[in-house]
Amino acid sequence: MPHAKLTDRFGRTVNYVRLSVTDRCDFRCVYCMAEEMTFLPRQQVLTLEEIARVARTFVSLGTEKIRLTGGEPLVRKDILELVKEIGSYGLRDFAMTTNGSQLPTMAKPLRKAGLKRLNISLDSLDADKFHRITRTGRLSQVLDGIDAAKDAGFEGIKLNTVVMKGGNDQEVPELVEFARKKKVDITFIEEMPLGEISDHDRGEVLCTSDEVRDIISQRHELVPTPEDSGGPARYYRMPDSDIRIGFISPHSHNFCSTCNRVRVTVEGRLLLCLGNEHSVDLRRVLRGHPVTNDKLRETIINAMELKPERHHFSTEGDVQILRFMNMTGG
Ligand code: SAM
């Protein structure tokens, strides 16, 4: 495929695309969704072929890294077909973010289909608390999923933990020990104000990355490393372990100046920024031009003009972004 480059008004090159493959999920994490969710009707959702067209077009425009996400990507029917298709594009990096519940059976087929790396969400190692946070999840299933992923031989596995004060912040040391024992990286994430939730006040439970780092530093020396996985995390290493500890800090250490990413929702909305509403409807273009991808390509190139310089998250309790993370594609 001919390689071009996508560049925005601020000189940032966009070479990383996160594709949401479903808004549905088998979990209802308290920071991500409301308890009662209405999901999209089928005709509004891109078909797997349409998602593949979007992926191919981005690759022809210089995309080097694709992440599949959702919702829970592994609850989308025939997801392996899409993984196989995108796996054949020869990307530098091809990853998925998952809650891990389906990995006991899916890890090996995913690896075989060409997926290179997995991010697995894990907010607690206490079965009751895990159930309280996910509302429907079973910890043992996810732990089995992590083991299955290790056995399947992925190039990289990373755990993701959203830290909530009074929720799971006490478990940070234990989660770090777990990651060290399993020899997988772990990233701690500040909760973002996406969608209106009823479980807690997001401002009240915000646990900043600096606070999490202080907790870990009481047990382990943390050495900053300039390593970068092509995403928003800042990484640290410990002298006596091979794993990395990452921090994603949308509130406290804004990562916009190096933003190289865009997202496509499962409705085909190209989101130029996680924390802004700027978007372009790709579904209309896909369905209006079913034979060639020329118009799609042109629309994506022009959309770069809309990418905002930065996001402005506040913790004042006002809902800034109405879409939930399951719609945004985390
Ligand atoms: N279902 C998959 C999973 O659980 O990883 C993929 C989708 S989920 C939306 C992706 C990531 O976003 C998860 O690690 C989740 O913890 C995180 N997330 C969801 N809502 C968030 C929020 N409001 N702030 C920060 N992270 C959030």
Side-chain angles (χ1 to χ4, degrees), residues 25 31-32 69-73 97-99 121 160 162 189-192 194 202 325-326 330:
C25 188
Y31 48 76
C32 184
T69 181
E72 172 48 44
T97 306
T98 171
N99 65 26
S121 300
N160 274 341
V162 175
I189 305 174
E190 291 177 353
E191 182 174 339
M192 300 172 224
L194 302 178
R202 293 194 198 266
M325 193 59 140
N326 75 304

Side-chain angles (χ1 to χ4, degrees), residues 18 20 22 24-27 29-33 67-74 96-100 119-123 159-163 187 189-195 197 200 202 248 250-251 263 274 313 323-330:
R18 295 187 178 211
S20 176
T22 180
R24 286 161 201 264
C25 188
D26 49 344
F27 289 6
C29 298
V30 291
Y31 48 76
C32 184
M33 290 192 190
R67 173 178 301 282
L68 300 182
T69 181
E72 172 48 44
L74 296 182
M96 178 182 281
T97 306
T98 171
N99 65 26
N119 283 5
I120 306 172
S121 300
L122 182 69
D123 295 328
L159 305 177
N160 274 341
T161 304
V162 175
V163 187
T187 291
I189 305 174
E190 291 177 353
E191 182 174 339
M192 300 172 224
L194 302 178
I197 54 165
H200 55 262
R202 293 194 198 266
I248 298 183
H251 290 280
R263 293 171 157 78
L274 175 64
F313 284 148
R323 358 167 258 277
F324 286 101
M325 193 59 140
N326 75 304
M327 287 299 300
T328 302

Side-chain angles (χ1 to χ4, degrees), residues 41 52 56 66 71 82 90 112 124 190 197 208 213-214 226 283 292 297 310 319:
R56 259 200 315 279
I66 289 182
L82 182 66
K112 205 164 155 233
S124 176
E190 291 177 353
I197 54 165
T208 66
R213 219 181 47 223
D214 285 348
R283 187 181 62 201
T292 71
R297 201 178 143 91
R310 53 164 299 178
V319 178

Side-chain angles (χ1 to χ4, degrees), residues 150 157 178-185 241-243:
K150 286 215 67 177
I157 300 174
F178 178 79
R180 285 165 59 99
K181 193 175 87 192
K182 294 283 176 192
K183 298 191 170 34
V184 294
D185 293 345
S241 165
D242 285 338
I243 72 158

